[in-house]
Protein backbone atom coordinates (compact mmCIF):
# COMPACT_ATOMS: atom_id res chain seq x y z
CA UNK A 1 0.00 0.00 0.00
CA UNK A 2 1.11 3.52 -0.74
CA UNK A 3 -0.19 6.68 0.88
CA UNK A 4 0.32 10.40 0.33
CA UNK A 5 -1.20 13.04 2.57
CA UNK A 6 -2.17 16.25 0.81
CA UNK A 7 -3.68 19.36 2.35
CA UNK A 8 -7.32 18.54 3.18
CA UNK A 9 -9.97 20.17 0.96
CA UNK A 10 -12.52 20.55 3.77
CA UNK A 11 -13.18 19.58 7.40
CA UNK A 12 -14.31 16.06 6.44
CA UNK A 13 -11.23 15.39 4.31
CA UNK A 14 -8.20 13.74 5.94
CA UNK A 15 -6.07 14.57 2.90
CA UNK A 16 -4.93 10.97 2.51
CA UNK A 17 -4.75 9.33 -0.91
CA UNK A 18 -4.29 5.58 -0.50
CA UNK A 19 -3.68 3.02 -3.23
CA UNK A 20 -2.24 -0.45 -3.57
CA UNK A 21 0.99 0.95 -4.99
CA UNK A 22 0.90 -1.41 -7.97
CA UNK A 23 -1.41 0.57 -10.23
CA UNK A 24 -0.34 1.24 -13.79
CA UNK A 25 0.14 4.87 -14.84
CA UNK A 26 -2.98 4.61 -16.99
CA UNK A 27 -5.09 3.30 -14.11
CA UNK A 28 -3.72 5.91 -11.70
CA UNK A 29 -4.44 8.73 -14.16
CA UNK A 30 -8.19 7.96 -14.33
CA UNK A 31 -10.04 9.58 -11.43
CA UNK A 32 -12.98 7.22 -12.08
CA UNK A 33 -10.83 4.42 -10.60
CA UNK A 34 -10.90 6.03 -7.14
CA UNK A 35 -13.55 6.50 -4.46
CA UNK A 36 -13.76 8.98 -1.61
CA UNK A 37 -13.83 7.04 1.64
CA UNK A 38 -13.44 8.60 5.08
CA UNK A 39 -10.20 7.54 6.76
CA UNK A 40 -12.13 6.61 9.90
CA UNK A 41 -14.24 4.14 7.91
CA UNK A 42 -11.10 2.56 6.49
CA UNK A 43 -9.63 2.31 10.00
CA UNK A 44 -12.76 0.40 11.09
CA UNK A 45 -11.83 -2.24 8.48
CA UNK A 46 -8.05 -2.07 8.97
CA UNK A 47 -6.78 -0.81 12.33
CA UNK A 48 -3.21 -0.68 10.99
CA UNK A 49 -4.23 2.53 9.18
CA UNK A 50 -4.83 4.36 12.50
CA UNK A 51 -1.30 5.85 12.74
CA UNK A 52 -1.99 7.79 9.53
CA UNK A 53 -4.17 10.18 11.55
CA UNK A 54 -1.06 11.68 13.15
CA UNK A 55 1.11 12.41 10.12
CA UNK A 56 1.10 15.92 8.63
CA UNK A 57 0.32 16.88 5.03
CA UNK A 58 3.35 16.16 2.87
CA UNK A 59 3.86 12.71 4.39
CA UNK A 60 4.37 9.83 1.98
CA UNK A 61 4.35 6.23 3.26
CA UNK A 62 4.56 2.73 1.87
CA UNK A 63 4.44 -0.90 2.92
CA UNK A 64 4.27 -4.15 1.00
CA UNK A 65 2.13 -6.12 3.43
CA UNK A 66 -0.33 -5.28 6.21
CA UNK A 67 1.99 -7.06 8.65
CA UNK A 68 4.90 -4.73 7.78
CA UNK A 69 5.49 -1.37 9.43
CA UNK A 70 4.77 1.81 7.51
CA UNK A 71 7.95 3.24 5.98
CA UNK A 72 8.47 6.83 4.95
CA UNK A 73 9.38 7.89 1.43
CA UNK A 74 11.94 10.68 1.31
CA UNK A 75 13.52 11.82 -1.96
CA UNK A 76 12.17 8.68 -3.70
CA UNK A 77 13.89 6.45 -1.14
CA UNK A 78 12.15 4.20 1.38
CA UNK A 79 13.44 4.92 4.90
CA UNK A 80 12.70 3.37 8.27
CA UNK A 81 11.58 5.20 11.41
CA UNK A 82 15.23 6.07 12.18
CA UNK A 83 15.75 7.68 8.76
CA UNK A 84 17.92 4.83 7.44
CA UNK A 85 17.44 4.16 3.71
CA UNK A 86 16.09 0.63 3.35
CA UNK A 87 15.32 0.62 -0.38
CA UNK A 88 13.98 2.40 -3.41
CA UNK A 89 10.33 2.69 -4.38
CA UNK A 90 10.37 -0.24 -6.79
CA UNK A 91 12.51 -2.68 -4.82
Amino acid sequence: MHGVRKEPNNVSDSGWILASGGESKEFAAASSNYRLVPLERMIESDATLAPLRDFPPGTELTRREVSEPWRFIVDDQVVDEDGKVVGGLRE
Side-chain angles (χ1 to χ4, degrees):
M1 179 175 274
H2 186 87
V4 177
R5 191 168 198 182
K6 305 283 186 178
E7 287 291 338
N9 291 319
N10 57 58
V11 295
S12 341
D13 182 10
S14 70
W16 279 104
I17 300 169
L18 300 171
S20 74
E23 295 83 1
S24 68
K25 288 182 181 183
E26 294 80 17
F27 183 93
S31 62
S32 62
N33 290 325
Y34 295 92
R35 300 287 177 263
L36 294 176
V37 179
L39 181 61
E40 293 305 315
R41 186 175 303 159
M42 293 183 69
I43 291 169
E44 289 173 9
S45 298
D46 181 355
T48 67
L49 297 174
L52 275 61
R53 291 182 185 120
D54 301 326
F55 296 113
T59 300
E60 188 172 4
L61 301 168
T62 193
R63 67 179 181 190
R64 291 184 187 160
E65 303 289 334
V66 157
S67 60
E68 291 183 353
W70 286 103
R71 304 213 183 236
F72 294 94
I73 299 173
V74 179
D75 297 328
D76 292 328
Q77 295 291 314
V78 179
V79 299
D80 64 16
E81 61 277 355
D82 297 322
K84 178 182 172 195
V85 174
V86 294
L89 288 179
R90 298 292 174 217
E91 293 180 4

